[in-house]
Amino acid sequence: MDYPNDQAPGAPIRSGIPEHGRIPKYYAVKARIAVLLDELGEGGLLPTERELAQLHEVSRETVRQALRELLLEGRLRRQGRGTVVAGPKLEQPLSLASYTEGVRRQGLRPGRNLIGLDRFPCPEALAAEVGVERGEPVWHLERVLLADGERVGLESTYVGVARVPDLDTEFDPDSSFYAYLRDALGIAFGDADERIETVLATPREALLVGTPPALPMLLIHRLSRDTDGRPLERVRTLFRGDRFSFSAHLRGEGRS
């Protein structure tokens, strides 16, 4: 296979162009606009659809399709009535570190908006995951995740009331739940199981996060245990697919 000299290691091979060389017209326009984005830089204002259509001698619908993909990929974002070049995606480590710690590592200000803190009898399906008996009280903490004031995700946390009895009075919902468990209650996380999938937000979720319902979201399910191996929490977190990527350090089986 012929690799261009300037091929970035993480880029699609042959820039995504099939060996037969035939590509959809919108994709060719998208590639040209992508070059323009690099020239404009973060926050740069993109020309209008009409101007781009005239520049590339294509229809406005062709330009619109190219822009839709760049928006979904997080290369562009809407600002007022215009479209500007987006900044780099937030990189969240796949670890037991909290969302707060991950965002701070990138020099951004983490935050959360409380949607609700409810207490209810635990259903059978949730009981084993949070280490309580059916019917025992559990908390449901729901918060919108922020990075420098921008809404980037939605987090639902389920935890037994017996483990955190004063969550409704002692905990600041804008702060890190993990830091509260560690500092106020002396509870340390031992390990967790995570599953990641791509989903579309429900109408309610899209409204809370401030995204179109058609925007792909990254959904993480986490089941956490403390250092004694006891179930601790069940978390469902939606992250905007156009604003987040995830990273992990992998170690070979033969290494300790």
Side-chain angles (χ1 to χ4, degrees), residues 51-244:
E51 291 169 334
L52 289 170
Q54 292 174 345
L55 176 64
H56 299 295
E57 299 181 335
V58 295
S59 69
R60 291 183 64 175
E61 180 53 39
T62 298
V63 169
R64 198 169 293 128
Q65 186 174 356
L67 295 181
R68 274 198 297 265
E69 289 203 359
L70 290 167
L71 281 162
L72 289 174
E73 292 172 3
R75 298 292 308 276
L76 296 171
R77 61 182 173 86
R78 301 294 190 191
Q79 183 171 288
R81 299 183 64 182
T83 304
V84 300
V85 181
K89 289 188 177 184
L90 298 167
E91 184 178 323
Q92 186 75 358
L94 292 173
S95 69
L96 278 173
S98 71
Y99 169 78
T100 298
E101 295 166 349
V103 172
R104 280 179 177 161
R105 284 182 191 146
Q106 297 168 81
L108 301 177
R109 185 182 75 259
R112 296 170 177 85
N113 286 339
L114 178 66
I115 301 302
L117 175 59
D118 303 307
R119 173 175 170 157
F120 61 94
C122 187
E124 181 69 32
L126 182 62
E129 295 184 341
V130 295
V132 303
E133 296 294 328
R134 177 183 178 183
E136 289 186 17
V138 293
W139 294 114
H140 173 226
L141 173 66
E142 185 179 35
R143 298 179 293 176
V144 171
L145 303 177
L146 308 173
D148 275 357
E150 178 187 12
R151 290 178 286 174
V152 294
L154 181 65
E155 179 182 76
S156 287
T157 301
Y158 300 88
V159 61
V161 171
R163 300 298 299 270
V164 285
D166 301 313
L167 189 65
D168 57 338
T169 57
E170 290 186 351
F171 176 62
D172 176 4
D174 186 39
S175 65
S176 167
F177 179 58
Y178 286 12
Y180 169 72
L181 292 177
R182 181 186 64 238
D183 300 337
L185 303 178
I187 298 175
F189 284 84
D191 66 292
D193 295 317
E194 284 192 339
R195 177 168 58 88
I196 304 176
E197 58 182 311
T198 304
V199 298
L200 296 178
T202 66
R204 176 181 180 271
E205 291 166 340
L207 183 64
L208 289 172
V209 182
T211 61
L215 179 71
M217 308 287 278
L218 296 168
L219 173 59
I220 292 187
H221 299 275
R222 172 181 284 192
L223 297 176
S224 304
R225 291 168 287 273
D226 62 20
T227 51
D228 294 325
R230 297 170 58 197
L232 181 56
E233 63 162 2
R234 198 245 195 264
V235 184
R236 181 186 191 276
T237 310
L238 276 176
F239 292 97
R240 287 178 52 171
D242 64 333
R243 296 294 291 120
F244 267 90

